[in-house]
Each structure stands twice: as structure tokens, then as C-alpha cells.
Amino acid sequence: MLVSGDNDQMTFLKEEKAIVKHIFLIAKHLKKSFKDVANYGLSCFCTVASLDGAFRLSGQGNFNVIGSSLFGLTKSLKLECENVFCRAIGLSPDINAEQLARHIIAELHDPNLYISEVAYSSQRGTTLISKEDSKYLLGF
């Protein structure tokens, strides 16, 4: 949640900052284990956040520092641990629980290691890719 600060600067709640710091600390200490496991089989790091289901491109919904930080953490971990399956999943709050579960399970079983972030609205799934990476995608 954003709150107004002095000099018209936006600040975040202390609780949100603390949660983000803890999540990053946990990921830091698990990084070696992720890499070690990836040498023998599938190693997975997946985050799920309730955002707008469109990478905040819809212009709707509240900014969520925790959810947005999870996306950044997942993308950074993907760069540092190339053999680890890293996926950030953004879900619209208007998706029902059954659909949420289906989307999460589908992402965990997706063999495509080139996609690091996806978003689901109630109508469709979306991912953002660079032109360079598009040659690796078979469709979404």
C-alpha cells in the first residue's frame, strides 16, 4: 500500500518493507540449494501475487510493493540460476479459487524455461517477452 510522505514522496508501510526483506533473505539463503538440486533434477522457485493480471498495464488495481517485489526477485533469481525453473505468476483478484489453482498448477508443469513471468486475468493469460526471446516460445 502506498501512503503519502513528506515532500509529496510516496512511501511504503514498514510491515510491507519487512515482509519484502524477509522474502529476499530467504531466497538468498536458498540460492545455493536451488543450484545444487538443479544439477540432479528440477529445481523450482515460484512466486504468486495478486495484481491486476496484466503486468499492471491495465491501469487498474492498487500498487502492491510485495507482489511487485516478488516479480523482481524471481526475474533476478532466473538470471543468477539459469538451470532453476523460476516463474512469477500474477493473478487478477477477480479470478475464482478453482481457476487460480488451475493456473498455478499449469505454470508449475510448464516445461518452458525461457518464460519467467506470467499474468492471468479472468479472460486470458499473458507474458512479456523480448524479440530475441520470442524465437524460443511455442505459444502461450
Side-chain angles (χ1 to χ4, degrees):
M1 168 186 268
L2 285 170
V3 294
S4 295
D6 295 335
N7 302 326
D8 292 330
Q9 291 181 321
M10 300 307 277
T11 58
F12 303 101
L13 297 176
K14 286 191 305 185
E15 294 85 358
E16 290 178 323
K17 283 184 180 181
I19 290 169
V20 169
K21 285 180 181 180
H22 283 97
I23 293 168
F24 275 69
L25 185 63
I26 290 167
K28 174 185 173 184
H29 288 287
L30 289 175
K31 192 167 98 172
K32 183 181 179 324
S33 297
F34 290 142
K35 287 182 175 182
D36 291 347
V37 170
N39 290 328
Y40 300 101
L42 180 64
S43 182
C44 177
F45 180 81
C46 182
T47 61
V48 180
S50 177
L51 298 171
D52 68 348
F55 298 105
R56 298 211 13 91
L57 297 173
S58 71
Q60 299 175 355
N62 292 325
F63 180 79
N64 180 320
V65 69
I66 297 170
S68 298
S69 296
L70 292 176
F71 269 70
L73 171 62
T74 304
K75 290 187 285 188
S76 295
L77 191 63
K78 176 63 183 159
L79 293 172
E80 295 176 18
C81 306
E82 293 178 3
N83 295 331
V84 175
F85 177 89
C86 295
R87 187 70 52 97
I89 306 170
L91 300 168
S92 173
D94 60 340
I95 299 175
N96 69 45
E98 185 178 325
Q99 288 175 306
L100 292 174
R102 273 192 263 132
H103 292 319
I104 294 168
I105 291 168
E107 291 304 322
L108 290 173
H109 287 91
D110 183 6
N112 192 328
L113 296 177
Y114 294 101
I115 297 173
S116 61
E117 57 186 347
V118 296
Y120 286 95
S121 68
S122 58
Q123 287 83 34
R124 63 184 181 149
T126 306
T127 192
L128 302 174
I129 58 168
S130 69
K131 286 182 181 181
E132 182 179 317
D133 288 339
S134 66
K135 62 187 169 196
Y136 300 109
L137 299 176
L138 300 175
F140 180 69

